[in-house]
């Protein structure tokens, strides 16, 4: 059974599904300034794209347009990109790669920048993996990067070049602003968007906030009862006669799941954590009666990915790292010393179906886990396959 489920998991990992990430009304403007109304594949890009896929109508063939031919494109009410030649500093924020240079190192590049706020003062974002750089322009200032850079003072101390605050103070002043209020603005999309919205309102300028329609971080809370099919084998490296296979066992589990859907790629990725109570009670005759009473709180923490079938149905896969906290558990021998159960961590992989963001069903396979890790000569092998139902409360 495990091999079959693992095969299905691998198959779905390589599955190419298209629903939900679909073609939506939009437009693009080419190098000649010609605007083409069309259907654009809305990828809800996390990183700034270098090309788009589009169709002139629903039944037309899919075409591609690259950054070299697109000056601007827009899809839905939350995704607008403009091509600009800018000076960008790509200095890393990763501690091991931060240098001792305070000033940014600029390089001219042609990029598609995401419009966050458009108005008298316009805010842009460029994102590439872990790199985030914000740009702005006004009616009197050409587009330039808002400068933020981390740099080392010594081996263990890092400082920040927050010149972007001075740029905002010098070029986006409005009545009631103070340097202390600008000093509180972080180099983040939320803080900078709020500032640019407030500035445009302060100068009575028309503006559009594209972030108000963007996907947000979504939290779901679910109840997750399940049926578990498990096996357990114990052995002693000194006494080979102690080898005991407890066979196939069926038990029930109950868990609660917290799911954090990430705010990009149409919320197809999620972080999950699922504290679950599980138990195994079984016995076996092997020269003597051996009773197992294994209870624990499992805490799988991992990553989930959705494959949308339509607006209400989707398939998902999980990969989790499982922490296991035993609860007064042990193995009792009729004629010898009892053993306390202490388990280690393991991995779990699941595949499931979700309907209407409310109901779900999942098959989950866990890798082998030892439960006698506090003994030198005793070994154990606990395996499980679970069928889990889910009901999302909110």
């Amino acid at each position: 059974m495990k091999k079959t489920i693992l095969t299905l998991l691998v198959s779905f990992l390589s599955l190419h599904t298209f629903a939900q990430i679909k073609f939506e009304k939009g437009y693009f403007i080419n190098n000649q300034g010609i605007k083409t109304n069309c259907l654009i594949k809305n990828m809800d890009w996390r990183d700034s794209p270098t090309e788009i896929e589009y169709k002139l109508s629903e039944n037309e063939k899919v075409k591609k347009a690259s950054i070299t031919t697109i000056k601007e494109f827009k899809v839905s009410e939350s995704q607008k990109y403009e091509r600009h030649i800018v000076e960008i500093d790509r200095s890393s924020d990763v501690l091991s790669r931060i240098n001792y240079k305070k000033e940014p190192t600029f390089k001219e590049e042609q990029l598609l920048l995401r419009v966050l706020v458009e108005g008298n003062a316009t805010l842009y974002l460029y994102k590439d993996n872990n790199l985030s750089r914000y740009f702005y322009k006004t009616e009197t200032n050409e587009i330039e990067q808002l400068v933020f850079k981390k740099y080392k003072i010594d081996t263990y101390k890092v400082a920040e070049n927050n010149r972007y605050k001075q740029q905002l103070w010098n070029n986006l002043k409005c009545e009631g602003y103070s340097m202390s209020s600008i000093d509180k603005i972080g180099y983040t999309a939320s803080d900078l968007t709020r500032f640019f919205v407030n500035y445009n309102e302060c100068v009575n300028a028309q503006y559009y906030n594209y972030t108000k329609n963007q996907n947000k971080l979504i939290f779901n809370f679910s109840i997750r009862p399940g049926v578990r099919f498990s096996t357990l084998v114990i052995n002693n490296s000194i006494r080979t006669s102690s080898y005991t296979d407890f066979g196939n066992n069926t038990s029930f589990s109950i868990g609660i799941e917290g799911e954090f859907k990430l705010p990009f790629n149409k919320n197809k990725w999620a972080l999950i954590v699922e504290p679950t109570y599980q138990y195994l009670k079984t016995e076996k005759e092997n020269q003597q009666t051996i009773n197992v009473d294994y209870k624990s709180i499992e805490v799988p923490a991992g990553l989930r990915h959705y494959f949308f079938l339509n607006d209400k149905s989707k398939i998902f896969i999980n990969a989790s790292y499982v922490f296991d906290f035993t609860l007064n558990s042990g193995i009792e021998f009729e004629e010898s010393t009892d053993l306390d159960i202490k388990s280690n961590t393991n991995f779990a992989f699941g595949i499931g179906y979700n309907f209407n963001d409310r109901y779900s069903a999942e098959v989950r396979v866990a890798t082998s886990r030892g439960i006698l890790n506090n003994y030198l000569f005793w070994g154990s092998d606990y395996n499980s396959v679970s069928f889990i139902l889910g009901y999302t409360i909110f």
Side-chain angles (χ1 to χ4, degrees):
M1 182 178 181
K2 275 192 174 184
K3 288 184 178 179
T4 302
I5 295 170
L6 287 172
T7 301
L8 287 172
L9 282 172
V10 172
S11 299
F12 276 102
L13 278 171
S14 59
L15 180 67
H16 175 69
T17 48
F18 57 90
Q20 201 69 11
I21 290 187
K22 51 192 174 183
F23 287 86
E24 300 178 16
K25 289 183 179 180
Y27 71 83
F28 68 87
I29 299 174
N30 66 15
N31 291 335
Q32 289 71 44
I34 299 173
K35 180 179 179 180
T36 301
N37 293 310
C38 59
L39 300 171
I40 297 176
K41 192 173 185 180
N42 187 354
M43 301 296 294
D44 193 21
W45 297 267
R46 178 183 181 274
D47 295 339
S48 297
T50 57
E51 67 175 18
I52 61 170
E53 295 182 41
Y54 70 96
K55 298 189 293 186
L56 296 177
S57 67
E58 196 65 55
N59 298 320
E60 290 282 341
K61 186 177 179 180
V62 176
K63 299 179 180 180
K64 291 185 178 182
S66 73
I67 188 174
T68 58
T69 60
I70 301 172
K71 292 177 63 177
E72 175 185 314
F73 79 88
K74 179 182 176 183
V75 57
S76 77
E77 294 303 315
S78 63
Q79 303 273 329
K80 182 178 180 180
Y81 286 84
E82 294 177 4
R83 188 186 70 195
H84 292 275
I85 297 175
V86 294
E87 297 284 334
I88 184 171
D89 170 45
R90 289 183 175 269
S91 300
S92 177
D93 291 338
V94 178
L95 184 60
S96 60
R97 298 178 181 176
I98 295 174
N99 58 36
Y100 289 88
K101 188 178 178 182
K102 179 180 180 179
E103 294 304 314
T105 303
F106 287 114
K107 180 183 177 183
E108 186 177 273
E109 296 186 34
Q110 180 175 254
L111 305 171
L112 276 172
L113 304 180
R114 184 170 188 168
V115 182
L116 300 182
V117 179
E118 185 174 34
N120 185 289
T122 299
L123 175 67
Y124 301 91
L125 168 64
Y126 174 76
K127 197 167 181 64
D128 183 13
N129 292 319
N130 293 322
L131 178 75
S132 294
R133 292 291 182 263
Y134 297 92
F135 296 80
Y136 80 108
K137 71 176 182 179
T138 69
E139 292 183 337
T140 56
N141 291 85
E142 294 294 324
I143 189 168
E144 66 176 356
Q145 181 186 317
L146 288 166
V147 175
F148 171 82
K149 184 179 186 296
K150 291 184 178 181
Y151 62 97
K152 288 183 179 178
I153 295 177
D154 56 41
T155 305
Y156 305 104
K157 191 172 182 181
V158 175
E160 294 179 351
N161 178 347
N162 291 314
R163 199 167 83 205
Y164 72 93
K165 296 178 181 179
Q166 191 65 49
Q167 291 171 283
L168 298 178
W169 175 250
N170 290 341
N171 300 314
L172 296 173
K173 283 184 181 178
C174 194
E175 185 178 349
Y177 283 16
S178 66
M179 192 62 202
S180 60
S181 63
I182 288 181
D183 196 50
K184 297 176 183 177
I185 299 170
Y187 199 73
T188 63
S190 58
D191 279 13
L192 289 169
T193 295
R194 191 179 305 113
F195 175 83
F196 274 76
V197 166
N198 290 340
Y199 173 81
N200 281 294
E201 290 178 346
C202 183
V203 297
N204 295 315
Q206 289 188 337
Y207 71 93
Y208 189 82
N209 178 9
Y210 285 92
T211 68
K212 67 181 181 180
N213 294 314
Q214 289 179 7
N215 286 337
K216 308 295 183 182
L217 181 68
I218 298 172
F219 175 72
N220 291 328
F221 179 81
S222 303
I223 301 295
R224 307 261 290 173
V227 179
R228 178 168 299 197
F229 308 96
S230 61
T231 61
L232 174 63
V233 174
I234 63 172
N235 62 81
N236 189 293
S237 59
I238 296 176
R239 300 197 310 270
T240 56
S241 61
S242 67
Y243 177 90
T244 305
D245 185 345
F246 291 89
N248 297 314
N249 299 274
T250 303
S251 59
F252 296 94
S253 64
I254 183 70
I256 54 174
E257 179 189 80
E259 179 187 49
F260 300 85
K261 290 184 177 178
L262 303 178
F264 57 85
N265 200 213
K266 293 289 185 179
N267 298 118
K268 291 180 70 174
W269 292 93
L271 301 176
I272 54 173
V273 60
E274 185 182 342
T276 301
Y277 173 79
Q278 70 83 31
Y279 70 91
L280 169 64
K281 288 189 177 182
T282 186
E283 68 175 29
K284 184 77 173 184
E285 292 287 340
N286 183 15
Q287 300 179 358
Q288 60 178 315
T289 302
I290 306 174
N291 290 287
V292 176
D293 184 5
Y294 172 32
K295 304 181 292 290
S296 71
I297 300 294
E298 292 181 341
V299 185
L303 188 66
R304 172 173 292 159
H305 183 64
Y306 286 99
F307 300 91
F308 292 92
L309 303 177
N310 53 50
D311 289 339
K312 289 189 175 182
S313 297
K314 49 195 170 184
I315 292 169
F316 61 86
I317 55 174
N318 307 326
S320 301
Y321 188 67
V322 184
F323 302 89
D324 190 56
F325 303 94
T326 54
L327 303 170
N328 192 28
S329 301
I331 300 176
E332 295 181 353
F333 295 84
E334 186 179 20
E335 299 174 1
S336 56
T337 305
D338 297 338
L339 302 173
D340 293 326
I341 289 179
K342 183 180 180 181
S343 60
N344 61 5
T345 57
N346 64 317
F347 293 93
F349 304 92
I351 181 171
Y353 171 78
N354 181 287
F355 178 74
N356 207 29
D357 288 325
R358 182 69 66 182
Y359 308 98
S360 66
E362 177 187 342
V363 176
R364 182 177 298 173
V365 180
T367 60
S368 178
R369 177 164 72 213
I371 66 170
L372 295 174
N373 296 321
N374 47 338
Y375 296 97
L376 182 60
F377 299 109
W378 282 97
S380 58
D381 189 12
Y382 173 78
N383 291 274
S384 67
V385 176
S386 300
F387 177 72
I388 305 167
L389 297 175
Y391 177 76
T392 301
I393 298 175
F394 60 81

